[in-house]
Amino acid sequence: MSGAREKKRAKKMRNQPVSVTMPAEPGPVPAGGPRPCPPPVSTFAQARAAEMKAMLKAVTQKSSNSLVFQTLPRQMRRRAMSHNIKRLPRRLQEIARKEAEKAVHQKKEQSKTKCRKARRRHVNLVAEFNRRQRKNIWLETHIWHAKRFHMVKKWGYCLGNSPTEKCYRACYRAMTNHCLLQDLSYYCCLELTGKENELLKQLARICSIDTGLTFRVARCLSGRFQGSLNLYRADRYPEDALGPVTFIWKPRDGSENRQLWIWMHPALKQDILKELKEIFQCSEPEEVYIPEPATSAQEEEQMDVVLSLGKKRKKEDKEGEKAVPVKKIIGDGTRDPLQSYSWISQSTGVVISDRTMEILRYRLIGPLSHCVLTETLKAASLQTEMADSESELNNWWVENCKDSEKVSLHQRQTAIFELLEGISSPSEMPPGTILGLTVGDPRVNLPKKKRKAMPDPEKYQDNDKVRQLYLEGVPVECAHSFIWDQDICKNVTENKISEQDLNQMRAQLLVPGSQLDLGPCESKIPILLVQQPGKMAGEDRPGWGSGWDICLPKGWGMAFWIPFIYRGVRVGGLQEAAKHSEYQRTPHTPNDFPDCPAGMQFAKELEATLLEKFKRRPPAKRANYVKLGTLSPFICPWEQLTKNWEGRMNASEEFICPSSPDAEHCVTEGNGFCDPEPEVVEEASPETGEVEETMEITSSEGAIKREGDPGSQDFGERDEALTRGFVVLRSKKLLMQVAAWCYPTSGKDRRIRLISRLGQKEMTEDVFLPILMRYPRALVWVSLSLLRKGNPELHAMICIPTEDDLLHLSKDKLFCGPQEPKHRDIFKHRVQELKEEKKKKKKKKKKMEEEEEKDNVEALESDSPSVLDEETTEEHEDLILGLWPDALPDVTSHCSRTLLGYVTRGDFSLAAGCGEALGFVSLTGLLYMLHGQPADKKGLVLLRTPASLQYRFARLSIEV
């Protein structure tokens, strides 16, 4: 009997009458003796009365959740019985009336559904939108994206992941030939205000000059250029990474205080903000920001407005009229509504302000992004008089236009902005160039039809000013923008002309379709243009993916978004952002930062998602990763990889190539460089009877870790190990050195000349052994390009080819790669045994239940499952057919080819025309491989996807 039937039967028997028959007299009846006397009449009558009382009680009590009219035979039921009690038989009407009264008290008061006209009313729409973004904040372009994109909820926001139309290649063509638009307003901005020396002194503790730029670099400190760097916990470099950020200094304006913007991914914000508050000793909040209307006074005012605007509404909101706010909530998805957004240090006077969602950020990617900018935006006209004495519209702009120096600065900024039409690509500008500007309302000069913004050939002439702009960049004073002033941004946001008013002005034009001239009533918006350099590392496709970022005040998102769309740009989401960084071969945040907390959290969430998807498939349709030799198909065990390579280095006195003759005589105890290779065993398949090659694990750690094994490591320890112990090598000097050693060559002499030309040293033990001693457990970011066919996938394994593999490749240029022998599933029998035990216990339990008497039904229902059965279930859940349970063996020597690292992103590259992958390899393993490879085969590795046995050759390179 199934579990559902058991519950149904127990529920039915719960109200059945128990046996009330009087017990017989004790003692056996003697054979042949006189019959016992019958019981007295009074006793017999009491027993019958008890039985009748139990039967009447059972009849009056319901044994199901069904209503009275549902208990009638089907031929007696009528549809009206559900709401009209008089349609029931008279004997059931009283019971039905009680049920109806009980249902009225239990039923919650539900708001009646509004009609569409009421739902689409502006006040009700805004209230509904505010309710829907309580958990995940919407961007200002959310509704536009929701109609055209697949939306996902990430990092406290609701973001567009990928377009619903088929435009994967079209988006790549836009990035390559025209322009792709992305909304990056979900990126977080932290503003630091204080004395320059105090800021630089403390900020120097969370970054290192060894990795490249710092906050102190002169070209960025002046405010002319945007900088980028990786942050670490204070004085902890190269450990405890926090993640990558970009920063912009406000140009000096004569004040002793400086302003600094730090832009970061929302997944990194809380860790970086916590570290900044610690190093600057900011503890007291300057003020508290509550985006949701929570005060009673505000609610009363809003209720009055709602009542006056919505008199024709027939229905009420679910929480009543008081819960309907009028204005749209523009908040931040990365902070709690009751959390403060500004902190001040009493000792240093430094103020940290959270300006997330206060400054919007759009990104234009492509060689013609400057054409889109110059066509869409027009510099603001000068204004010396107010359009309306009562209005505050453009009052800040009128005051600044009265200053001749600021007027001159605006004219210079306008001249430089117009020069952008004469450049062929944004990559020609100095990397990270910043240009401040004040523009007019972009909604005024919308084209009649959607068309592509194309360059004007007349602008492409030999111009000395354009050539000077290439060489010197934008002057320091032209990088100034009024967007740094929060009061001006607030004024611009609050005095924006609504779309309704703008459309009414268009309707009053004498010539329909002509351009609207607002004159002094036109809004003036301060913006900041930041150049994105695109692909800078490597030799192929220099400048690919370059473009411009535009920062603007909040509230103006759609006013700039639609004009950009009308210039023929493609719009991309999170998927296109990932592809953009993949084709640039740069790490993507937070996927490719395994040493920072956000990257570790992302890896755990991805593992849970892939494991759940794996379990949803039936066992016969799953890939058996144990037989395929894939130890960790859903997460990259970076900690164990670096630990195993460190053990190999400690156990080996010198580097020995795995395919060299000396490998047989090296030390094999522990985790040395020359651990014995897995033995290939031929077995007959129990299903087909054919002979198959399987792998027999003979590594020193063993295949299965038992409970008593001191080297065993359970799942909890594996998760804990992922959060400590290894680092990612980001030292520019060392990366350039290792990159020179990986450079592909065709001859030994040429390699020496190449290294000397790059200013690097030849690969000798005296050079790389100090690197290994300093970074024994380090990972290196690498890019891989397949030599032949193949499509790398997520979590693919990067392995070291043997000497035979390289020899076979040199003889046969079409050789794709070797194959991994199939492994033996050593856990299959344990899984089957547990299944059989579970079936036997289930049958035994069923048999015991059938033998139980009816008077023990209640006791059976109250009994909980046995502890033994729960333990068996838990043990069975730990063992999943096709996956390695408990601790993993040595990941480097588990397969026939030594493991070097893992792929974090891989796909067919439209830019290169072949399969490309990005990932991390162990620094120790990489130097070990390069030391043992011949000069003409440097940098050749093998790639194998988790669900395949086929290895494929790839070229490994490091781009710095």
Side-chain angles (χ1 to χ4, degrees), residues 870-943:
E870 290 180 357
E871 293 177 356
T872 306
T873 305
E874 292 177 0
E875 186 179 3
H876 178 65
E877 288 178 355
D878 291 342
L879 280 176
I880 302 174
L881 185 64
L883 294 180
W884 273 82
D886 301 328
L888 300 180
D890 186 354
V891 295
T892 58
S893 60
H894 178 69
C895 298
S896 60
R897 304 300 187 274
T898 306
L899 184 69
L900 191 62
Y902 291 95
V903 169
T904 58
R905 280 186 294 153
D907 200 357
F908 181 83
S909 173
L910 297 176
C914 64
E916 284 193 344
L918 301 170
F920 291 94
V921 297
S922 169
L923 175 63
T924 307
L926 179 62
L927 296 179
Y928 162 60
M929 181 192 76
L930 295 174
H931 182 262
Q933 281 185 332
D936 58 340
K937 301 294 182 184
K938 294 285 185 182
L940 281 182
V941 295
L942 293 172
L943 276 183

Side-chain angles (χ1 to χ4, degrees), residues 190 192 198 201-203 205-206 232-236 240 242 269-284 343-348 350-352:
L190 297 179
L192 275 65
E198 289 291 341
K201 179 182 177 181
Q202 299 301 330
L203 290 174
R205 299 175 57 195
I206 60 175
Y232 296 82
R233 296 202 182 276
D235 307 320
R236 291 288 297 164
D240 295 337
L242 294 175
K269 175 187 168 183
Q270 295 301 332
D271 297 317
I272 294 177
L273 179 60
K274 180 181 177 182
E275 193 67 22
L276 289 174
K277 288 193 290 186
E278 286 182 1
I279 63 174
F280 287 108
Q281 300 176 0
C282 296
S283 56
E284 297 181 7
W343 302 265
I344 187 170
S345 172
Q346 299 297 334
S347 57
T348 61
V350 175
V351 179
I352 301 176

Side-chain angles (χ1 to χ4, degrees), residues 710-730:
S712 64
Q713 182 183 18
D714 59 6
F715 278 125
E717 292 175 352
R718 282 173 57 190
D719 292 341
E720 185 181 355
L722 287 172
T723 62
R724 55 181 173 79
F726 69 92
V727 298
V728 175
L729 182 65
R730 296 189 177 95

Side-chain angles (χ1 to χ4, degrees), residues 513-780:
S514 59
Q515 188 171 355
L516 183 63
D517 185 13
L518 297 179
C521 295
E522 182 180 359
S523 299
K524 309 298 188 295
I525 308 102
I527 64 170
L528 200 66
L529 298 176
V530 183
Q531 189 260 2
Q532 295 296 322
K535 191 176 187 299
M536 299 180 66
E539 296 183 355
D540 57 331
R541 306 192 307 276
W544 186 93
S546 61
W548 290 90
D549 281 10
I550 174 172
C551 302
L552 52 138
K554 71 176 181 180
W556 284 88
M558 289 304 296
F560 280 75
W561 186 265
I562 297 301
F564 284 142
I565 300 298
Y566 266 73
R567 266 65 185 192
V569 301
R570 279 273 175 185
V571 181
L574 297 177
Q575 176 181 281
E576 284 69 34
K579 287 298 174 184
H580 178 238
S581 62
E582 182 178 330
Y583 289 155
Q584 289 189 97
R585 297 173 186 164
T586 55
H588 188 62
T589 312
N591 314 23
D592 301 324
F593 289 86
D595 57 337
C596 72
M600 298 173 192
Q601 181 65 26
F602 176 85
K604 290 180 181 179
E605 292 174 359
L606 181 62
E607 180 190 24
T609 303
L610 295 177
L611 182 60
E612 183 183 358
K613 184 178 179 182
F614 179 80
K615 288 180 178 179
R616 285 201 302 263
R617 298 177 67 87
K621 303 300 180 183
R622 300 174 187 166
N624 192 325
Y625 292 110
V626 178
K627 288 187 176 182
L628 294 171
T630 306
L631 292 176
S632 183
F634 306 136
I635 193 171
C636 301
W638 302 118
E639 171 67 23
Q640 189 161 352
L641 175 70
T642 54
K643 184 179 179 181
N644 293 152
W645 274 109
E646 184 188 22
R648 282 171 168 260
M649 183 184 68
N650 295 334
S652 178
E653 296 180 358
E654 59 180 353
F655 284 96
I656 301 176
C657 181
S659 55
S660 64
D662 298 335
E664 298 178 359
H665 306 289
C666 68
V667 180
T668 58
E669 297 179 359
N671 291 331
F673 272 167
C674 302
D675 278 343
E677 293 187 0
E679 183 182 353
V680 179
V681 182
E682 291 187 353
E683 286 186 349
S685 175
E687 300 175 357
T688 60
E690 298 178 359
V691 176
E692 297 180 353
E693 287 187 350
T694 60
M695 296 293 298
E696 188 71 31
I697 311 298
T698 57
S699 63
S700 59
E701 290 192 12
I704 309 176
K705 300 288 185 180
R706 301 299 180 185
E707 295 181 359
D709 191 350
S712 64
Q713 182 183 18
D714 59 6
F715 278 125
E717 292 175 352
R718 282 173 57 190
D719 292 341
E720 185 181 355
L722 287 172
T723 62
R724 55 181 173 79
F726 69 92
V727 298
V728 175
L729 182 65
R730 296 189 177 95
S731 171
K732 294 290 184 182
K733 183 178 179 180
L734 294 181
L735 286 175
M736 290 180 67
Q737 178 69 76
V738 179
W741 293 337
C742 296
Y743 204 90
T745 59
S746 57
K748 188 174 181 180
D749 296 335
R750 181 185 172 188
R751 175 149 198 86
I752 295 175
R753 289 196 299 271
L754 175 66
I755 293 176
S756 61
R757 189 182 70 190
L758 294 175
Q760 305 299 333
K761 301 177 182 178
E762 183 65 24
M763 188 176 186
T764 60
E765 292 188 3
D766 296 337
V767 177
F768 64 75
L769 281 180
I771 300 176
L772 292 180
M773 295 302 174
R774 184 180 177 186
Y775 296 98
R777 302 175 72 175
L779 297 174
V780 183

Side-chain angles (χ1 to χ4, degrees), residues 61 90 101 104 182 194 205 210 218 240 275 288 308 393 490 548 595 670 770 828 921 932 934:
Q61 282 187 346
R90 289 184 179 178
E101 293 175 358
V104 167
Q182 291 178 332
R205 299 175 57 195
D210 194 28
D240 295 337
E275 193 67 22
V288 177
S308 63
L393 177 66
K490 184 179 180 182
W548 290 90
D595 57 337
K828 187 174 182 180
V921 297

Side-chain angles (χ1 to χ4, degrees), residues 22 38-50:
M22 298 296 291
V41 177
S42 60
T43 307
F44 183 79
Q46 289 177 3
R48 301 291 78 75

